[in-house]
Amino acid sequence: MDSIFAILGILGFLVGIVWLIVNLFRKKQKKVPIIILIAGFSLFLIGMIMGTSAAENREMEKTKDANVQNQHKEKNSTNSKNNSKKKTEQDLKATSDKITKEFDENWETNWKQAFSSIETDEDLETLKSRLSTLITKYESQKNYIQSSKILEIDSGTKEYARKMEEAIDLRIQAANDVKNNLDSGNFDSLLNNVKNTISQSDEALTNALINLVSSEYYPNEEK
């Protein structure tokens, strides 16, 4: 609509000028061409004003749309980050729960239960077998920890992994000490050293769990 006014204004203005010039030479009435000239100029100004206003409105709409899109992008980005962090928390929780469960089950089955009933030579052979199984499973668990990418996400999880490996190494050491001294008859004299090694393993395990819950990715409700 603004362009129509501008075009009509220009045409009216040109007609008015030409008509006025012709009437000047012919010495005829100048009132009508002057009115047409003024009207044409007015229409042109109205068209220009309307066009400027429309352009400003379009620019404002573009800016508004851009702001809305940016807000949506920021919201989507925030949601994506939150979802990514939640997924990381879930993966870390699942991994640490698996490690803790296997660590405890291995110790309960192949250490505590094995020592609970030693009465015959056959029981000693069973104990040796279980100690070998314990060592194998703990070594496998160490490999799992070392290859787990989720345990490398921050300093807390890295220290957790390091301390878990330390706890596992100490329990493997205790198992090897017992296994290597069963036939020598020196098991009683080795008992205190084994207990001390196990105590060190328990301390490393406690420190590992403390570092785990300190990670910003561990889903601790009290954080």
Side-chain angles (χ1 to χ4, degrees), residues 111 115 124-125 127-132 135 139 171-191 194:
W111 182 277
F115 275 99
L124 287 177
E125 291 303 316
L127 176 60
K128 289 179 183 179
S129 175
R130 286 194 171 185
L131 290 176
S132 295
I135 292 169
E139 287 176 344
R171 293 204 175 181
I172 290 175
Q173 178 183 330
N176 275 322
D177 287 343
V178 172
K179 183 181 176 184
N180 294 335
N181 286 274
L182 279 176
D183 296 329
S184 65
N186 296 325
F187 180 67
D188 290 338
S189 63
L190 185 66
L191 187 60
V194 171

Side-chain angles (χ1 to χ4, degrees), residues 104-121:
D104 291 340
E105 285 181 348
N106 189 18
W107 189 249
E108 180 68 27
T109 301
N110 296 305
W111 182 277
K112 290 183 178 180
Q113 292 182 14
F115 275 99
S116 63
S117 58
I118 300 178
E119 297 178 356
T120 65
D121 291 341

Side-chain angles (χ1 to χ4, degrees), residues 3-218:
S3 60
I4 293 175
F5 276 110
I7 293 170
L8 290 175
I10 292 172
L11 292 174
F13 186 76
L14 293 175
V15 170
I17 288 179
V18 173
W19 196 349
L20 181 60
I21 293 172
V22 170
N23 283 359
L24 284 174
F25 280 105
R26 293 182 178 180
K27 295 181 181 181
K28 290 185 178 182
Q29 187 181 10
K30 307 177 187 67
K31 184 177 180 179
V32 175
I34 289 174
I35 292 173
I36 294 174
L37 189 148
I38 294 172
F41 185 72
S42 299
L43 284 173
F44 176 74
L45 288 178
I46 292 171
M48 291 296 293
I49 292 170
M50 289 176 65
T52 302
S53 177
E56 290 176 352
N57 289 336
R58 286 194 295 270
E59 189 63 30
M60 288 176 62
E61 286 297 325
K62 288 181 181 179
T63 302
K64 183 179 178 180
D65 290 342
N67 289 336
V68 171
Q69 290 178 1
N70 288 335
Q71 289 175 357
H72 283 309
K73 287 180 181 179
E74 290 175 1
K75 184 177 180 180
N76 291 337
S77 177
T78 301
N79 290 338
S80 178
K81 288 180 181 178
N82 290 338
N83 290 337
S84 177
K85 187 174 187 294
K86 186 175 181 180
K87 179 66 167 57
T88 301
E89 290 176 350
Q90 292 172 343
D91 290 346
L92 177 60
K93 183 71 165 55
T95 299
S96 60
D97 285 350
K98 171 182 167 65
I99 291 171
T100 301
K101 180 182 178 182
E102 292 180 356
F103 183 89
D104 291 340
E105 285 181 348
N106 189 18
W107 189 249
E108 180 68 27
T109 301
N110 296 305
W111 182 277
K112 290 183 178 180
Q113 292 182 14
F115 275 99
S116 63
S117 58
I118 300 178
E119 297 178 356
T120 65
D121 291 341
E122 185 178 348
D123 292 334
L124 287 177
E125 291 303 316
T126 300
L127 176 60
K128 289 179 183 179
S129 175
R130 286 194 171 185
L131 290 176
S132 295
T133 300
L134 180 142
I135 292 169
T136 299
K137 286 188 174 182
Y138 274 147
E139 287 176 344
S140 176
Q141 191 170 38
K142 270 187 65 177
N143 292 333
Y144 174 78
I145 292 172
Q146 291 169 356
S147 64
S148 179
K149 299 297 182 183
I150 195 68
L151 299 181
E152 299 177 359
I153 53 177
D154 66 10
S155 58
T157 57
K158 289 178 180 178
E159 188 62 15
Y160 161 74
R162 190 182 74 80
K163 282 295 182 180
M164 279 303 305
E165 289 184 50
E166 181 181 334
I168 290 171
D169 282 336
L170 287 166
R171 293 204 175 181
I172 290 175
Q173 178 183 330
N176 275 322
D177 287 343
V178 172
K179 183 181 176 184
N180 294 335
N181 286 274
L182 279 176
D183 296 329
S184 65
N186 296 325
F187 180 67
D188 290 338
S189 63
L190 185 66
L191 187 60
N192 287 333
N193 288 334
V194 171
K195 285 182 176 179
N196 183 53
T197 301
I198 295 172
S199 177
Q200 291 176 13
S201 175
D202 290 341
E203 183 179 351
L205 175 62
T206 300
N207 289 330
L209 296 176
I210 290 173
N211 281 284
L212 174 64
V213 298
S214 72
S215 169
E216 67 171 298
Y217 295 98
Y218 188 78

